[in-house]
């Protein structure tokens, strides 16, 4: 079975995602796809998509007022419906998902978000109010 790591980065009006192939503990993850949806909740929403470091589509206009859930669903659909992306066949292939969160708490290593950490992150939303609320909802 293929093991894929998805990285997510929600900005104030954009959503970025990268997909990495995990081959084994001795090898570095290999980036196989990247997508960015810009203009979420605005009149002009565009998408960029690349596979194997090659641009597939750039600045294709989506329907206006795309919300965050629709943006994430659209990104997953792009990955899952790309017949040339050989490593991803279903959501079962996605083993790990990580998300960049502005925290201001001095963390140096990835953290599993439990209720205690969630509460601490929620208390730091003032550091990046346009980003943090998206990451925590």
């Amino acid at each position: 079975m293929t093991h894929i790591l998805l990285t997510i980065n929600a900005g104030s009006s954009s959503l970025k995602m990268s997909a990495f192939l995990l081959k084994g503990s001795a090898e570095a993850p290999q980036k196989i796809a990247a997508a960015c949806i810009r203009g979420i909740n605005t009149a002009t929403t565009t998408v960029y998509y690349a596979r194997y470091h090659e641009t597939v589509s750039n600045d294709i206009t989506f329907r206006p007022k795309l919300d965050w859930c629709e943006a994430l669903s659209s990104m997953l659909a792009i990955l899952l419906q790309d017949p040339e992306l050989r490593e991803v066949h279903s959501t079962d292939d996605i083993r790990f998902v990580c998300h960049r969160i502005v925290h201001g708490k001095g963390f140096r290593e990835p953290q599993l978000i439990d209720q205690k950490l969630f509460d601490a992150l929620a208390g730091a939303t003032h550091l990046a109010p346009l980003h943090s609320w998206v990451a925590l909802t």
Side-chain angles (χ1 to χ4, degrees), residues 1 6 24-25 34 41 57 63 78 89 117 120 128:
M1 175 183 237
L6 282 185
S25 60
N41 285 324
S57 60
R63 68 172 184 75
I78 289 168
H89 305 286
L117 181 54

Side-chain angles (χ1 to χ4, degrees), residues 10-11 68-69 72 99 101 118 122 125 129-137:
W68 291 100
C69 291
L72 184 56
H99 193 297
I101 299 176
F118 182 89
T125 57
L130 296 178
H131 298 256
S132 299
W133 71 269
V134 172
L136 295 173
T137 57

Side-chain angles (χ1 to χ4, degrees), residues 77-125:
I78 289 168
L79 282 180
L80 296 173
Q81 295 171 8
D82 182 351
E84 295 187 40
L85 189 61
R86 300 175 300 273
E87 296 84 358
V88 183
H89 305 286
S90 75
T91 55
D92 291 339
D93 295 326
I94 301 169
R95 297 284 299 194
F96 305 98
V97 178
C98 61
H99 193 297
R100 179 190 159 271
I101 299 176
V102 176
H103 54 77
K105 299 291 183 182
F107 297 113
R108 300 281 184 238
E109 300 294 325
Q111 304 287 315
L112 182 62
I113 299 179
D114 58 14
Q115 190 61 49
K116 181 179 177 183
L117 181 54
F118 182 89
D119 293 342
L121 293 169
T125 57

